[in-house]
Every structure is written in structure tokens, then in C-alpha cells.
Amino acid sequence: MDQVCEANRGWYSRGYLPHLDVSGRSQFITWRLADSVPAELIRRWKHELAMEPESKRKLELYSRIEKYLDLGHGSCILRNPVAASIVQDALLFHHRELYQLHEWTVMPNHVHVLLTPHEEVSLERLVHANKSYTSSRINKALGLKGRLWEPEYFDRLVRDEAHFSKIAHYIRRNPVKAKLCTDFRFWSHGSGNPESKQRLLQEAGREVRR
């Protein structure tokens, strides 16, 4: 995961979602597998929301995508523990070096992360580097080819402490909400799992890698 440090970009857009790239501020980020939501469905939703204000359009589109994702559509490659471990390990590896990782969960077809990028760490480059690295590792491990991740991602700036707590609770409980388990502590690849959380604490106790 090289070349993730650069000046903040502020607001920008690479497609149907606007992004706010601001280091030093906590962000709720979601990215998904390329086959998790049909492109035609995205186009239809965009058309239906075209007359809405941009801020409402972004949140409503994300809400629709999130509900669809939780139904378990697509290949759900991340259901494979090998693939899920690659994603989780990549997130944990750069804790403290590039960001403070607060909460995360690796779902069958998407990933939720709550983190605070360090100063001068570009959110766009950070997400792109993570997806590029994990895509290569997962394809190699599972004998796959082709694009793994959807290029776009969703990000939302955390407003305050209450908003932070709400997002953290949502991330931990997402596997329960999607009816994948009855207790988020049993979900192996998420911060709600005691063993996974312990690994984060172990990373926090180490010297920052150079």
C-alpha cells in the first residue's frame, strides 16, 4: 500500500458519489465487491433520485445499496474466510502507521470501516491501495481473475461523538442485522469479535513501522 500520502483534496467526485477527502477527521467508509449490485439497478436508482438535493441523493443511494448488500447478492467471495482474513489483515496492518482504525466488519460482499486518517494521508489513495492489494492477494489465493472490487466507495465524515458512537454500533451489528449471526461477537472478521479486537490492541502496542 504505497503512495497514500498527499495533500487533502476536499470535495471531489469520481462517478455517482461525491467524496470528502480530509485527513485527521474520522470517516465512515464502505466499499463493495464489483458484482454485489447490478449496474442497471444503480442507474435506475440514480434516475429516480436525480431531482433530489445532492446530499440527500448520496445518502438515499447509499441506503438503497446497503439494504441490497445485506440481502447477500453477488458472488459474496468475502464469505470465504481466506478472503475475509486478507481484507482484515490489510486493515490491521496499517493501524497507527496511516490511520487510527476504530471499527470494521468484513461482510460477504462489502466492507465497513470507521477510521481516522493521519495528517497528509489521502483517503482516496488509502482506499484504492487497500483494494488493489487485497484484490491481488484474494485472486491469487482463490485462483480467480478479473476485477474484484467496485471502483467507487462511500464515505461520510463523522460529525461528533454521538455520530461516532452510532456508526461504531452500526458497524459492529451489521452481521446481526444481515442475519449472518445472532451475536456480533461471533463474527470472526469484525471489531465486535473479541479476538479481532485484541489483535487491534496488539497492533496499537507496537512501534509504528517505518
Side-chain angles (χ1 to χ4, degrees):
M1 292 176 62
D2 298 325
Q3 298 181 343
V4 296
C5 296
E6 62 176 18
N8 299 327
R9 297 183 61 188
W11 285 105
Y12 70 96
S13 178
R14 297 177 59 249
Y16 61 83
L17 289 177
H19 301 287
L20 181 58
D21 196 335
V22 181
S23 61
R25 294 285 302 277
S26 296
Q27 296 266 5
F28 173 35
I29 314 167
T30 298
W31 60 91
R32 60 184 177 86
L33 296 178
D35 66 354
S36 58
V37 183
E40 178 55 39
L41 187 57
I42 294 289
R43 285 193 290 268
R44 191 178 80 196
W45 286 340
K46 288 172 59 180
H47 178 73
E48 293 172 356
L49 298 170
M51 301 305 293
E52 298 290 344
E54 183 174 295
S55 59
K56 182 178 180 180
R57 185 167 67 245
K58 175 184 178 180
L59 292 177
E60 177 60 26
L61 182 61
Y62 174 75
S63 177
R64 294 186 186 190
I65 291 174
E66 177 68 12
K67 290 177 182 177
Y68 192 86
L69 289 172
D70 282 346
L71 294 176
H73 293 288
S75 60
C76 291
I77 291 172
L78 302 179
R79 195 185 299 274
N80 185 312
V82 173
S85 292
I86 288 172
V87 175
Q88 179 169 260
D89 290 348
L91 290 170
L92 290 169
F93 185 81
H94 288 285
H95 173 58
R96 291 188 71 237
E97 182 180 20
L98 300 177
Y99 47 74
Q100 290 296 117
L101 180 61
H102 307 295
E103 304 285 347
W104 73 94
T105 187
V106 183
M107 299 290 284
N109 57 9
H110 65 288
V111 180
H112 288 309
V113 178
L114 176 60
L115 56 75
T116 304
H118 290 178
E119 293 296 333
E120 302 305 319
V121 173
S122 163
L123 183 64
E124 181 189 19
R125 290 287 187 89
L126 189 156
V127 175
H128 174 75
N130 185 285
K131 290 196 293 185
S132 177
Y133 172 78
T134 56
S135 176
S136 176
R137 288 289 308 278
I138 290 172
N139 281 342
K140 182 176 180 180
L142 302 185
L144 303 174
K145 294 182 179 180
R147 191 178 75 184
L148 182 72
W149 300 108
E150 166 63 30
E152 274 286 2
Y153 64 93
F154 173 89
D155 62 271
R156 190 173 186 188
L157 194 67
V158 178
R159 297 189 301 271
D160 50 35
E161 186 175 346
H163 192 209
F164 185 101
S165 296
K166 182 178 180 181
I167 292 171
H169 180 73
Y170 176 84
I171 291 175
R172 287 194 295 269
R173 286 191 53 81
N174 195 205
V176 178
K177 176 176 173 286
K179 300 180 180 179
L180 298 172
C181 60
T182 57
D183 188 323
F184 60 75
R185 291 175 296 179
F186 300 149
W187 190 249
S188 299
H189 298 94
S191 52
N193 179 276
E195 292 184 6
S196 295
K197 197 69 171 183
Q198 182 60 35
R199 287 187 59 199
L200 180 71
L201 295 175
Q202 290 172 352
E203 289 292 331
R206 296 175 183 169
E207 291 296 321
V208 175
R209 301 176 184 83
R210 297 298 181 186

